[in-house]
Amino acid sequence: LVPLVESGGGSVQTGGSLRLSCSASDNTIATYCMGWFSQAPRQGHVRVARIDTDGMTSYLDSVKGRFAISKDSAKNTLYLQMNNLQPEDTAMYFCAAYEVGCSGALHSRGEGTQVAVSS
């Protein structure tokens, strides 16, 4: 499996912004439906956004209007623009490619990047 590498996490205050990036060494970003997931301590992971191979996007209700997922297939990079961050957004965020379609088993994933939002 080709690893995915996330970057861009950090610590911000409420209302701040971050842009996460997810890089692949091959054409994974263009080939598969991709998602960004959050995982808070002692909780399972939750998909916050996904983008399919045609560029169609979908978001978790709690991040609609604040987060935007996008991709640059030529650069093999996936992005998550996070605006108006709230303390409840604090989590480890990782990117992943689905094996088939946009649900079910994951083809590959990264180790994650930490986002911390203080009030």
Side-chain angles (χ1 to χ4, degrees), residues 19-32 34 36 51-53 55 68-80:
R19 189 192 196 202
L20 306 185
S21 297
C22 167
S23 297
S25 59
D26 67 354
N27 62 350
T28 295
I29 305 295
T31 301
Y32 296 91
M34 300 295 301
W36 280 101
I51 184 167
D52 67 17
T53 54
I69 188 171
S70 62
K71 62 182 177 179
D72 186 333
S73 296
K75 295 183 178 180
N76 298 322
T77 304
L78 179 74
Y79 303 100
L80 184 68

Side-chain angles (χ1 to χ4, degrees), residues 2 63 112:
V2 173
V63 308

